[in-house]
């Protein structure tokens, strides 16, 4: 409620991991004596214990001697917007049909593994490419719904063949890729 909020300082309801961020933001306003161009986004703890995301725009009010007197804060709950952004990011990295990671996610992940292997010469991983031969025949003879179900089943079966930390991705059409990260040698990849 308004009376509860007026009785508190912004650090009182800040998420513990965001207290330092909030302090730096306020210190920067005081040092520069001007408002930042972008508002502060931070997590706070609702009185019911729920973590919510807030966007806080702060204006510094000075006294007649140009000394900081107080702040005016405009606070907006952006939890729903953050959730929507998270869902969009997740959707952008996922193949809609199979619910596997898509090509963009896969390529980004592969790039990270390549960098990791360059930094650590002992680190190895395997890349397996799976292309379904004559998949077009399924679509042409049985229809696209059956073809889609076949791809969904194939994605499920491939996922069952690997460890939890391995990545199975659909590159597009009837092409899949597998990144095996928990292997000790080439023999593990062959198996």
């Amino acid at each position: 409620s308004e009376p509860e909020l007026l009785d508190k300082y912004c650090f009182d309801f800040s998420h513990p991991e965001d207290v330092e961020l909030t302090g730096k933001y306020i210190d920067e306003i005081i040092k520069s004596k001007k408002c930042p161009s972008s508002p502060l986004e931070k997590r706070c703890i609702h009185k019911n214990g729920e973590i919510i995301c807030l966007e806080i725009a702060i204006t510094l009010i000075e006294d007649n001697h140009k000394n900081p007197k107080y702040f005016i804060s405009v606070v907006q709950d952006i939890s729903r917007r953050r959730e929507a952004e998270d869902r969009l990011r997740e959707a952008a990295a996922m193949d809609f049909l199979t619910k596997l990671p898509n090509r963009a996610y896969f390529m980004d992940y592969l790039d990270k593994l390549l960098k990791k292997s360059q930094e650590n010469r002992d680190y190895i991983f395997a890349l397996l490419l799976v292309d379904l031969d004559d998949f077009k025949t399924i679509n042409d003879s049985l229809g696209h719904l059956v073809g889609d179900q076949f791809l969904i089943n194939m994605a499920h079966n491939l996922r069952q063949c690997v460890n939890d930390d391995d990545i199975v991705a659909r590159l597009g059409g009837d092409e899949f890729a597998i990144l095996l990260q928990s292997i000790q040698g080439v023999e593990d990849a062959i198996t």
Side-chain angles (χ1 to χ4, degrees):
S1 68
E2 185 177 339
E4 289 173 312
L5 191 58
L6 289 174
D7 217 18
K8 294 192 181 299
Y9 189 58
C10 68
F11 293 106
D12 295 337
F13 52 86
S14 291
H15 187 282
E17 294 175 10
D18 288 355
V19 169
E20 185 178 344
L21 170 74
T22 306
K24 286 180 180 178
Y25 189 80
I26 291 171
D27 287 346
E28 186 59 37
I29 293 171
I30 292 170
K31 286 178 189 170
S32 66
K33 294 190 176 186
K34 61 181 180 180
C35 299
S37 57
S38 60
L40 171 67
E41 290 188 14
K42 64 181 243 169
R43 294 167 294 175
C44 292
I45 301 174
H46 192 280
K47 67 180 178 181
N48 67 10
E50 179 184 351
I51 295 175
I52 59 173
C53 295
L54 299 180
E55 181 178 82
I56 304 173
I58 298 176
T59 302
L60 176 64
I61 305 298
E62 299 175 327
D63 63 15
N64 292 339
H65 305 288
K66 299 285 185 191
N67 295 316
K69 188 173 181 182
Y70 55 88
F71 297 108
I72 295 177
S73 301
V74 178
V75 181
Q76 181 178 0
D77 184 346
I78 60 167
S79 299
R80 286 187 178 156
R81 183 179 85 198
R82 277 279 183 89
E83 289 169 8
E85 289 170 353
D86 289 345
R87 283 193 304 272
L88 281 173
R89 269 191 295 279
E90 186 178 297
M94 183 190 308
D95 177 61
F96 179 74
L97 178 66
T98 63
K99 306 299 187 245
L100 291 175
N102 63 15
R103 177 185 293 270
Y105 177 89
F106 175 80
M107 296 305 288
D108 184 53
Y109 202 89
L110 177 61
D111 189 50
K112 289 176 186 170
L113 289 183
L114 288 169
K115 287 178 183 168
K116 185 176 179 179
S117 68
Q118 289 171 348
E119 293 168 3
N120 179 2
R121 293 289 179 189
D122 294 331
Y123 177 75
I124 61 170
F125 66 93
L127 167 61
L128 308 176
L129 297 174
V130 179
D131 183 30
L132 306 176
D133 292 337
D134 300 323
F135 176 71
K136 185 176 181 315
T137 305
I138 293 173
N139 277 339
D140 291 346
S141 62
L142 300 173
H144 288 279
L145 290 178
V146 173
D148 286 351
Q149 190 58 52
F150 181 81
L151 290 172
I152 292 167
N153 292 343
M154 179 58 67
H156 176 75
N157 290 339
L158 289 173
R159 192 70 214 125
Q160 297 302 311
C161 293
V162 298
N163 295 322
D164 289 341
D165 60 339
D166 297 328
I167 302 291
V168 177
R170 182 174 178 217
L171 300 182
D174 61 355
E175 295 177 335
F176 295 86
I178 302 169
L179 285 172
L180 301 175
Q181 302 179 80
S182 54
I183 61 171
Q184 302 300 314
V186 175
E187 298 77 24
D188 293 336
I190 293 170
T191 302

